[in-house]
Amino acid sequence: MSYEVEQVESVAQPPKARVGDAPLAATPEAPAERRRDYLDGFLTQKPVGDAPHEPGGALYEGVIDALKDIFDPEIPVNIYDLGLIYGVEISADGHAVVMMTLTTPHCPVAESMPGEVELRVSAVPGIATADVNLIWDPPWDPQKMSDDAKLELGML
């Protein structure tokens, strides 16, 4: 690879910007409109994705709070921090679907826990109906627990 080198004596200075060179030509009869804030409009926009039924929205967070009020009877940690909740979906019309698992298929609350989750989620204001889908794949393991749960159980 070769480079071509050109030697020059001097380089002309680029022209300096002048106020008179501005694209808006103001006259005494019609002064140019000045906008104080170049972010005008941007700062007044509503945040995108802050729908009540999406993560971060009031309805979604209400369902998560309801799930955090349900405790596993054998382990003194709520089912959300325990990692038993695999997903929450809420439609715009207020239908909630909770995908969850249990610590083991032979869990003593296997019959009652999904019903309690459905009852508590459907009691959240704004939720019209709730369904709970019990999932066994992937199986639950202690790594699914939140750090708070691990700390509570002395695993950290």
Side-chain angles (χ1 to χ4, degrees):
M1 181 183 294
S2 67
Y3 295 101
E4 193 174 308
V5 177
E6 178 184 349
Q7 292 188 2
V8 295
E9 293 291 322
S10 66
V11 177
Q13 291 290 330
K16 294 186 178 187
R18 307 259 184 239
V19 174
D21 296 338
L24 295 176
T27 62
E29 297 84 27
E33 179 185 337
R34 282 187 77 137
R35 292 177 58 183
R36 274 188 76 96
D37 190 0
Y38 66 94
L39 293 175
D40 187 31
F42 174 77
L43 297 174
T44 59
Q45 289 179 350
K46 299 280 185 202
V48 177
D50 197 20
H53 60 282
E54 293 177 356
L59 188 56
Y60 186 90
E61 294 304 317
V63 169
I64 298 301
D65 289 342
L67 293 170
K68 287 183 176 181
D69 285 341
I70 304 170
F71 285 80
D72 186 293
E74 297 175 321
I75 305 170
V77 176
N78 69 66
I79 64 171
Y80 188 82
D81 287 334
L82 198 54
L84 298 179
I85 304 300
Y86 284 177
V88 175
E89 295 175 1
I90 303 173
S91 66
D93 61 349
H95 178 71
V97 177
V98 177
M99 284 74 64
M100 70 172 290
T101 192
L102 298 172
T103 54
T104 175
H106 305 293
C107 181
V109 293
E111 291 182 23
S112 62
M113 183 69 73
E116 183 177 355
V117 169
E118 183 178 338
L119 184 68
R120 296 275 186 106
V121 169
S122 62
V124 172
I127 297 295
T129 57
D131 289 325
V132 176
N133 295 332
L134 205 53
I135 300 170
W136 300 109
D137 189 36
W140 179 86
D141 65 69
Q143 295 304 315
K144 296 190 183 322
M145 291 192 292
S146 70
D147 288 342
D148 292 340
K150 290 177 183 176
L151 184 63
E152 179 73 27
L153 296 174
M155 298 173 70
L156 278 182

